[in-house]
Amino acid sequence: MTKIPNIILVGPMGAGKTTIGRLISQSMGKHFYDLDKVIEDNAGADIPWIFEKEGEEGFRKRETQALESIVHSDTNDLVLATGGGVVMRKENVDILRDDALVVYLYASVAQQLYRTSKSTHRPLLQTGDPRATLKKLFEVRDPLYRDVATLVIETDARHPKSVANKVLDAIKRHLEMETSVS
Ligand SMILES: Nc1ncnc2c1ncn2[C@@H]1O[C@H](COP(=O)(O)OP(=O)(O)OP(=O)(O)O)[C@@H](O)[C@H]1O
Ligand SMILES: O=C(O)C1=C[C@@H](O)[C@@H](O)[C@H](O)C1
Ligand SMILES: [Mg+2]
């Protein structure tokens, strides 16, 4: 039987990486990690505090350290929900590509805005015009998500459970296809 690799979810803020990651880890019997949560636990402080005290650069350093430690400590047994900006550093992208199945959860800017509007936990969106910020980030990052991901799953107009099932089906089909050609 094919061993199911580590599953790593990428995508913009509000795509549902944390929500869907937790659901699919339960179905797959894998450990669930949320990169933002690991960064916060390691720092003993929340993301807004890290941005305020250390700037985005400080946060990105912590993000790379946390990513390295998670991926290298748990071989083939994890589902990892990343933060929206993980693709902004080449060294992170190299880690993501190393022996994991990367899934891009796509959400339109309108959905990203709707889903992130109830929280003040994302420092990059504490601007006068979060829609414009999300749009700008999306223009830069969408090609990077597509480049690193093997599977792309559309999440607009779908309930989280239905997105999770779609991700699980796509992973299953992908692994079956890989087995049949090897
Ligand atoms: N498919 C969906 N349909 C409707 N709401 C959703 C869906 N997926 C997630 N949500 C909701 O959107 C909000 C943001 O989801 P979540 O925190 O999982 O996003 P994220 O991709 O992890 O964002 P971030 O990059 O900021 O960590 C949550 O309130 C969640 O319940
Ligand atoms: O899109 C981003 O750059 C971010 C997304 C969040 O998940 C956090 O990682 C942080 O707020 C930065
Ligand atoms: Mg998240």
Side-chain angles (χ1 to χ4, degrees), residues 11-20 36 82-84 115 122 155 158-160 163:
M13 290 179 268
K17 301 176 296 296
T18 300
T19 310
I20 307 306
D36 286 336
T82 59
R115 293 180 193 163
R122 298 171 175 95
T155 73
R158 283 177 184 275
H159 188 273
V163 176

Side-chain angles (χ1 to χ4, degrees), residues 12 16-17 25 102 153-154 178:
K17 301 176 296 296
S25 70
V102 181
I153 303 294
E154 152 83 53
E178 267 198 335

Side-chain angles (χ1 to χ4, degrees), residues 16 28 32 55 57 70 77 82 147 149 168:
M28 300 178 100
F32 175 66
E57 189 52 30
I70 297 167
D77 207 19
T82 59
D147 193 45
L168 290 167

Side-chain angles (χ1 to χ4, degrees), residues 18-32:
T18 300
T19 310
I20 307 306
R22 188 170 286 117
L23 288 172
I24 68 169
S25 70
Q26 286 159 0
S27 301
M28 300 178 100
K30 285 181 178 276
H31 298 289
F32 175 66

Side-chain angles (χ1 to χ4, degrees), residues 55-72:
E56 182 169 351
E57 189 52 30
F59 174 79
R60 296 292 167 210
K61 276 190 194 137
R62 289 181 178 276
E63 186 174 47
T64 299
Q65 281 163 3
L67 180 64
E68 256 169 0
S69 69
I70 297 167
V71 170
H72 293 148

Side-chain angles (χ1 to χ4, degrees), residues 111-122 125-126 130:
Q111 275 297 307
Q112 294 169 37
L113 184 68
Y114 175 72
R115 293 180 193 163
T116 53
S117 60
K118 287 165 208 121
S119 164
T120 55
H121 202 71
R122 298 171 175 95
L125 298 185
Q126 303 311 301

Side-chain angles (χ1 to χ4, degrees), residues 20-151:
I20 307 306
R22 188 170 286 117
L23 288 172
I24 68 169
S25 70
Q26 286 159 0
S27 301
M28 300 178 100
K30 285 181 178 276
H31 298 289
F32 175 66
Y33 295 88
D34 186 85
L35 190 55
D36 286 336
K37 168 90 171 49
V38 173
I39 295 165
E40 290 184 326
D41 289 348
N42 289 348
D46 66 10
I47 290 177
W49 186 93
I50 299 170
F51 267 74
E52 195 188 314
K53 300 289 176 202
E54 301 178 359
E56 182 169 351
E57 189 52 30
F59 174 79
R60 296 292 167 210
K61 276 190 194 137
R62 289 181 178 276
E63 186 174 47
T64 299
Q65 281 163 3
L67 180 64
E68 256 169 0
S69 69
I70 297 167
V71 170
H72 293 148
S73 71
D74 197 341
T75 312
N76 287 335
D77 207 19
L78 68 87
V79 173
L80 172 64
T82 59
V86 77
V87 289
M88 296 308 291
R89 279 188 157 199
K90 167 141 187 353
E91 54 201 300
N92 296 352
V93 172
D94 291 341
I95 297 170
L96 298 179
R97 282 217 175 93
D98 189 20
D99 210 24
L101 181 54
V102 181
V103 181
Y104 171 20
L105 295 184
Y106 170 89
S108 63
V109 170
Q111 275 297 307
Q112 294 169 37
L113 184 68
Y114 175 72
R115 293 180 193 163
T116 53
S117 60
K118 287 165 208 121
S119 164
T120 55
H121 202 71
R122 298 171 175 95
L124 294 178
L125 298 185
Q126 303 311 301
T127 64
D129 190 350
R131 180 192 294 275
T133 306
L134 285 168
K135 187 165 177 289
K136 221 183 279 168
L137 291 175
F138 186 70
E139 279 162 9
V140 173
R141 295 175 177 181
D142 175 68
L144 303 176
Y145 297 137
R146 288 182 189 278
D147 193 45
V148 75
T150 302
L151 303 171

